[in-house]
């Protein structure tokens, strides 16, 4: 037996006499399972199914004959399409909110919160796989002078152009770029040793030179960048990932400031790299 409303779900005049499996693949197995549960006096959990682009929730109720044996299963179906759509929108909104919270509004790169998440994840992965992980800290040379002489709108335009150029230099899906703060950026390079990171840094340096952004306060006459590279140590345990992240950032930052002390527009490596 089936009500008219149930038949309408499957866009038929009547589904009385149809096999459950003719309507929903695998339904016959589910109904047999529910008969078994009801026979054993177990609760019958709700189920969900989709038909013709809509979503339904099903509740099951067992009916017994005079001898107390389960003879029928009554299915009550509720259209929950709207609820499913709202739940989907809420999940998507939450996902976008989290993604937005981890992105820098000006450049679109990861912000520091996003960097922490990615760096911790990739450190764990590198530990499990026994592979290298390198970090490149990058700073625009004499950027304060650039802002002071040309104004903040021009400075923002410069930051955006530099960010897009750095993204363009990352050729592998796992590589990530972050705006670490102000005019400083960080590149996370999974499965890259110090040599691979040096190649990426050199490509970035060349690409920034090719932008040829005029910088009246720089002795080079154009926007340049300094780079500091560090490679994660192998063999650290899972519990030390947070400390490893702090240490790796500090090493890359130290190499970056050595590059700035040594004349800027250059690449330096962490001590021992």
């Amino acid at each position: 037996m089936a009500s008219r409303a149930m038949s309408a779900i499957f866009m038929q005049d009547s589904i009385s006499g149809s096999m459950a499996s003719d309507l929903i693949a695998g339904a016959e197995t589910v109904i047999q399972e529910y008969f078994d549960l009801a026979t054993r006096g177990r609760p019958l959990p709700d189920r969900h199914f989709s038909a013709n682009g809509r979503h339904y929730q099903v509740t099951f109720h067992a009916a017994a004959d005079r001898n107390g044996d389960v003879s029928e299963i009554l299915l009550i179906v509720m259209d929950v399409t709207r609820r499913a759509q709202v739940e989907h929108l809420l999940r998507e909104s939450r996902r976008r909110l989290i993604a937005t919270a981890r992105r820098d509004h000006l450049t679109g790169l990861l912000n520091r919160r996003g960097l922490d998440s990615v760096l911790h994840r990739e450190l764990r992965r590198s530990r499990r796989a026994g592979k290298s992980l390198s970090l490149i800290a990058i700073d625009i040379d004499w950027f304060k002078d650039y802002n002071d002489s040309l104004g903040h709108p021009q400075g923002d335009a410069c930051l955006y152009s530099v960010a897009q150029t750095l993204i363009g230099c990352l050729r592998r899906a796992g590589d990530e770029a972050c705006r670490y703060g102000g005019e400083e950026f960080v590149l996370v390079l999974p499965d890259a040793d110090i040599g691979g990171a040096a190649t990426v840094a050199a490509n970035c340096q060349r690409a920034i030179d090719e932008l040829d952004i005029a910088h009246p306060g720089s002795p080079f006459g154009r926007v340049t960048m300094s780079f500091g590279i560090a490679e994660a140590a192998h063999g650290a345990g899972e519990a030390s990932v947070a400390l490893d992240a702090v240490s790796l950032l500090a090493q890359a930052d130290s190499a970056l400031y050595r590059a700035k002390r040594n004349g800027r527009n250059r690449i330096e490596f962490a001590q021992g790299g």
Side-chain angles (χ1 to χ4, degrees), residues 10-263:
F10 299 99
M11 303 179 70
Q12 297 184 30
D13 293 333
S14 174
I15 59 171
S16 295
S18 300
M19 297 294 292
S21 56
D22 293 335
L23 302 172
I24 303 174
E28 188 173 351
T29 301
V30 172
I31 291 175
Q32 183 59 57
E33 174 191 338
Y34 275 61
F35 267 107
D36 294 341
L37 289 172
T39 300
R40 299 200 304 271
R42 304 290 295 278
L44 308 181
D46 292 353
R47 299 289 289 252
H48 294 79
F49 73 93
S50 299
N52 300 313
R54 302 194 69 80
H55 303 277
Y56 301 93
Q57 177 179 308
V58 187
T59 58
F60 298 81
H61 305 271
D65 59 20
R66 293 178 180 178
N67 298 322
D69 297 326
V70 176
S71 58
E72 296 175 343
I73 297 285
L74 172 66
L75 284 68
I76 299 177
V77 181
M78 180 186 300
D79 188 331
V80 293
T81 302
R82 179 58 182 164
R83 186 175 75 186
Q85 290 171 340
V86 170
E87 289 174 349
H88 174 73
L89 287 173
L90 287 173
R91 286 194 299 270
E92 283 298 300
S93 295
R94 183 175 182 274
R95 183 189 62 78
R96 287 194 295 268
L97 181 62
I98 291 173
T100 300
R102 294 178 177 177
R103 291 283 170 182
D104 174 61
H105 72 280
L106 174 63
T107 63
L109 303 185
L110 292 173
N111 58 22
R112 291 187 69 160
R113 179 181 296 180
L115 172 65
D116 287 343
S117 177
V118 167
L119 185 54
H120 288 191
R121 182 192 71 209
E122 294 302 337
L123 278 168
R124 292 188 188 96
R125 185 175 296 169
S126 71
R127 298 292 183 264
R128 290 195 300 269
K131 294 184 177 180
S132 300
L133 172 70
S134 292
L135 217 62
I136 306 177
I138 309 169
D139 191 83
I140 301 177
D141 298 326
W142 295 288
F143 188 72
K144 183 179 184 303
D145 293 339
Y146 185 93
N147 259 340
D148 290 345
S149 60
L150 299 178
H152 289 284
Q154 189 65 31
D156 286 350
C158 175
L159 287 169
Y160 182 81
S161 296
V162 166
Q164 298 310 302
T165 301
L166 294 177
I167 292 173
C169 292
L170 300 181
R171 306 299 171 84
R172 302 178 308 164
D175 296 343
E176 290 281 5
C178 162
R179 184 184 178 193
Y180 195 59
E183 67 273 22
E184 189 170 350
F185 302 85
V186 172
L187 305 183
V188 182
L189 307 177
D191 196 17
D193 60 15
I194 204 80
T199 298
V200 172
N203 290 339
C204 291
Q205 188 178 41
R206 183 163 50 251
I208 295 299
D209 284 345
E210 290 173 356
L211 283 179
D212 198 24
I213 300 174
H215 187 340
S218 168
F220 299 103
R222 67 183 187 281
V223 168
T224 59
M225 304 188 80
S226 298
F227 300 80
I229 301 176
E231 182 180 357
H234 292 287
E238 178 77 11
S240 65
V241 163
L243 290 176
D244 290 342
V246 172
S247 174
L248 187 59
L249 282 165
Q251 291 177 51
D253 207 46
S254 178
L256 168 63
Y257 280 94
R258 193 180 317 115
K260 297 178 82 67
R261 287 195 305 270
N262 290 339

